[in-house]
């Protein structure tokens, strides 16, 4: 049977641009959740035509790395195709399944972090707690959500398990996307903050079981909050 001959033509400019932008996203040049520069700014920076840029951005939207929001620009949805797939899969899963998976990952990572963390990593966790308190005090829920994601990634990195860090980098966005987005009232926000302080205290004390218990409690609180908020929204909709 004859082998299929390999095409010899060079990749199109838009295909090259797709590869370049994808590499930029994967390297963290545009972090997940951020809005990318405007179309005009990219045209001037990259020296390409509008149609070429739009074709490349459209391909990245199709791959799930970008999300175009009408009237609000284009945002980074995932850092890789694998992460994009996990975000879609988690968003279609039952909440309890997502919570169980998040509990498994974060409970183990927190226990390992208590045993392996460095002083620098502990200091970073304390700084992120302070950043979260400042965001909540200013009622900046977007900033609070971003800091919370950074905090949990920092805990996972402190576990010292490189493979777990890599897996969480892919799954973390999927799990927080599936469970996030609803506002916290003052009481729930304070409990959320208290549990995070309890987690860091346990990690500082190298209390493995205490860290695992605190991590599991944070996930439970998140699940209870999401369920209550959705039930309240449903009741409000019925009353209209």
């Amino acid at each position: 049977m004859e082998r299929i001959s390999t095409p010899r033509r060079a990749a199109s400019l838009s295909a090259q641009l797709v590869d370049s932008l994808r590499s930029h996203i994967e390297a963290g040049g545009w972090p997940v959740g951020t809005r990318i520069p405007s179309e005009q700014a990219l045209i001037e920076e990259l020296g390409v035509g509008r149609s070429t840029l739009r074709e490349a951005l459209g391909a990245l939207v199709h791959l799930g790395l970008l999300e175009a929001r009408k009237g609000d620009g284009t945002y980074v949805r995932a850092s890789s195709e694998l992460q994009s797939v996990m975000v879609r899969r988690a968003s279609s899963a039952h909440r309890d399944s997502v919570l169980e998976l998040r509990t498994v990952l974060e409970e183990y990572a927190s226990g390992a972090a208590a045993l392996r963390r460095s002083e620098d990593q502990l200091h970073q966790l304390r700084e992120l707690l302070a950043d979260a308190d400042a965001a909540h005090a200013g009622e900046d829920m977007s900033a609070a959500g971003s800091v919370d994601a950074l905090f949990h990634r920092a805990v996972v990195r402190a576990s010292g398990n490189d493979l777990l860090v890599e897996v969480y980098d892919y799954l973390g966005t999927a799990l927080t996307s599936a469970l996030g987005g609803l506002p916290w009232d003052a009481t729930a926000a304070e409990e959320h903050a208290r549990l995070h302080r309890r987690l860091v205290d346990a990690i500082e004390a190298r209390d493995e079981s205490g860290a695992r218990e605190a991590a599991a409690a944070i996930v439970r609180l998140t699940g209870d909050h999401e369920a209550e908020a959705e039930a309240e929204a449903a009741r409000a909709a019925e009353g209209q």
Side-chain angles (χ1 to χ4, degrees):
M1 184 175 180
E2 290 188 15
R3 294 175 59 86
I4 300 174
S5 60
T6 303
R8 295 183 180 277
R9 65 179 178 81
S12 68
L13 182 58
S14 63
Q16 294 177 55
L17 185 55
V18 167
D19 289 339
S20 176
L21 295 177
R22 178 164 49 191
S23 296
H24 187 66
I25 292 171
E26 289 177 349
W30 293 336
V32 173
T34 60
R35 183 169 58 186
I36 70 173
S38 68
E39 198 174 81
Q40 187 58 41
L42 288 173
I43 289 172
E44 294 174 0
E45 178 181 350
L46 300 170
V48 298
R50 193 174 301 275
S51 61
T52 298
L53 177 64
R54 287 181 175 178
E55 185 177 348
L57 294 179
L60 292 172
V61 169
H62 180 72
L63 289 171
L65 273 64
L66 297 179
E67 177 185 2
R69 301 179 186 175
K70 190 174 181 180
D72 192 29
T74 301
Y75 287 76
V76 180
R77 188 167 186 263
S79 62
S80 70
E81 288 94 329
L82 177 57
Q83 188 181 68
S84 173
V85 169
M86 292 308 303
V87 169
R88 289 198 301 270
R89 180 64 186 89
S91 65
S92 66
H94 192 278
R95 182 195 296 108
D96 290 347
S97 297
V98 177
L99 287 168
E100 285 179 8
L101 179 56
R102 184 171 177 180
T103 301
V104 168
L105 291 174
E106 297 202 12
E107 189 176 338
Y108 177 82
S110 297
L115 299 177
R116 301 170 184 165
R117 56 85 180 163
S118 67
E119 289 301 317
D120 285 344
Q121 288 169 329
L122 180 62
H123 180 67
Q124 182 188 23
L125 291 174
R126 290 291 184 194
E127 286 188 329
L128 288 169
L129 282 183
D131 291 344
D133 288 342
H136 280 292
E139 298 185 350
D140 187 344
M141 298 312 297
S142 176
S146 297
V147 173
D148 188 64
L150 289 173
F151 174 88
H152 288 286
R153 282 180 170 80
V155 171
V156 175
R157 284 195 297 273
S159 74
N161 185 321
D162 291 341
L163 183 57
L164 179 59
V165 171
E166 186 174 349
V167 170
Y168 192 85
D169 280 345
Y170 286 126
L171 287 176
T173 299
L175 300 181
T176 53
S177 294
L179 293 173
L182 295 174
W184 293 75
D185 60 35
T187 301
E190 176 53 37
E191 178 65 6
H192 189 256
R194 186 189 70 79
L195 288 174
H196 281 67
R197 290 192 294 270
R198 175 179 153 194
L199 172 57
V200 176
D201 287 344
I203 290 174
E204 180 175 19
R206 300 195 185 279
D207 179 1
E208 180 185 7
S209 62
R212 292 174 67 104
E213 289 171 3
I218 290 170
V219 179
R220 284 196 302 272
L221 178 65
T222 301
D224 291 344
H225 164 68
E226 294 287 327
E228 182 178 343
E230 288 187 2
E232 185 175 330
R235 288 193 295 268
E238 290 176 357
Q240 292 179 352

